[in-house]
Amino acid sequence: MSWSGGKDSALCLHHALQSPDLRPAHLLTTLNEHYQRVAMHGVRAELLRAQAQRIGLPLHEVWLPEMPSMEVYEQRMSAALDALAAQGVRTSLFGDLHLADLRQYREQQLARVGWQARFPIWHKPAAELWAEFFDLGFRAVVVCINEQHLDASFCGRELDRDFLRDLPPGVDPCGENGEYHSFVYDAPYFRQPIAVQRGERVRRTYQPSPPAAEEEATDCYRAQPDPFSAAFWYCDLLPAPAGAPPAGPAA
């Protein structure tokens, strides 16, 4: 299971767990070596590990440089896949919804090493996915927004019905174009919720790096129209003290 810790991968895992022909056995996540956080989402590695512990699946961490070349990205992913293949795993699950070019990229890359890709929630209607998200008790915090699409006030908000109602026209409600990313702190298959508290909000910009930055972009950036010249706001989530309640709405 390609696991980002956000709502799409969480819903994808739910569908995979319900499927008679799928048996999720591992979680795999790319992380940023420089910041020690989940790539693009900016979530601390310790919170990612807390998710894996509550799900009850082993977590495989693929560590990448801050701006990896395609060569480095593919080398490290290949090493991770080889280790999983040695355990009998040959299928990777993804929570992608509509981006055909990203799906094709994943399928082609996996086929090169004898793997197949599966997309359990592909083309599921947004209304259906959100109904599942709320009705089944998923809970999440928005941890990253793309300034090209949303203003900073959306960063750190609870991912709830009010958040969806407040999205500007043209923003995909599922954030499929990279408008926002989230961290799931409770799910129906978690052993218990993860208590987190919101820290500081930070703005970061990404500029082109020669040569041909867009052509060398790894797949975790491909959903952005021009990711290397975009600005992002991140909400730093922190593990809450023992006994603290789950995140809840932002103050």
Side-chain angles (χ1 to χ4, degrees):
M1 173 73 224
S2 180
W3 181 260
S4 70
K7 63 167 181 57
D8 291 340
S9 58
L11 282 167
C12 177
L13 179 57
H14 168 72
H15 279 260
L17 291 169
Q18 303 302 310
S19 173
D21 66 333
L22 295 174
R23 186 168 59 87
H26 303 264
L27 305 175
L28 185 145
T29 308
T30 56
L31 298 102
N32 183 307
E33 288 175 336
H34 180 73
Y35 291 108
Q36 297 287 297
R37 295 169 185 263
V38 178
M40 286 304 296
H41 289 222
V43 171
R44 293 169 181 253
E46 60 194 294
L47 290 177
L48 176 73
R49 294 166 190 150
Q51 288 179 320
Q53 186 274 332
R54 283 157 175 78
I55 295 168
L57 292 178
L59 174 67
H60 299 261
E61 302 173 6
V62 181
W63 291 91
L64 300 171
E66 184 176 2
M67 299 293 278
S69 67
M70 275 306 281
E71 182 181 7
V72 169
Y73 174 78
E74 291 178 359
Q75 286 176 348
R76 297 193 186 185
M77 285 297 295
S78 292
L81 295 180
D82 287 346
L84 288 168
Q87 301 181 53
V89 180
R90 288 284 183 178
T91 300
S92 187
L93 308 177
F94 297 96
D96 299 310
L97 297 174
H98 305 298
L99 298 178
D101 62 335
L102 181 54
R103 174 171 178 157
Q104 182 181 40
Y105 171 81
R106 298 194 196 282
E107 290 172 332
Q108 290 175 345
Q109 294 301 109
L110 288 172
R112 288 170 53 185
V113 293
W115 281 55
Q116 65 171 323
R118 297 283 294 272
F119 301 84
I121 57 174
W122 182 254
H123 278 174
K124 290 276 185 182
E128 181 180 323
L129 288 173
W130 281 117
E132 289 182 344
F133 186 87
F134 296 126
D135 294 346
L136 294 173
F138 286 91
R139 301 192 69 183
V141 175
V142 176
V143 291
C144 172
I145 63 99
N146 186 332
E147 199 177 68
Q148 292 179 342
H149 303 285
L150 296 170
D151 66 61
S153 67
F154 285 89
C155 188
R157 286 184 56 173
E158 181 81 1
L159 191 51
D160 54 17
R161 290 180 175 87
D162 287 339
F163 177 89
L164 295 179
R165 281 192 287 266
D166 291 343
L167 290 176
V171 171
D172 186 279
C174 295
E176 183 72 348
N177 300 308
E179 293 97 333
Y180 68 90
H181 300 291
S182 60
F183 174 80
V184 172
Y185 64 87
D186 197 9
Y189 44 78
F190 278 18
R191 292 172 179 169
Q192 64 186 77
I194 301 170
V196 294
Q197 59 188 18
R198 295 166 177 81
E200 66 176 333
R201 228 167 22 187
V202 177
R203 183 180 185 269
R204 298 198 181 278
T205 59
Y206 297 89
Q207 298 299 326
S209 56
E214 283 197 49
E215 293 180 11
E216 295 188 356
T218 63
D219 75 302
C220 53
Y221 295 101
R222 292 166 69 89
Q224 304 296 338
D226 185 14
F228 295 98
S229 60
F232 297 85
W233 282 93
Y234 294 92
C235 176
D236 186 18
L237 285 187
L238 307 166

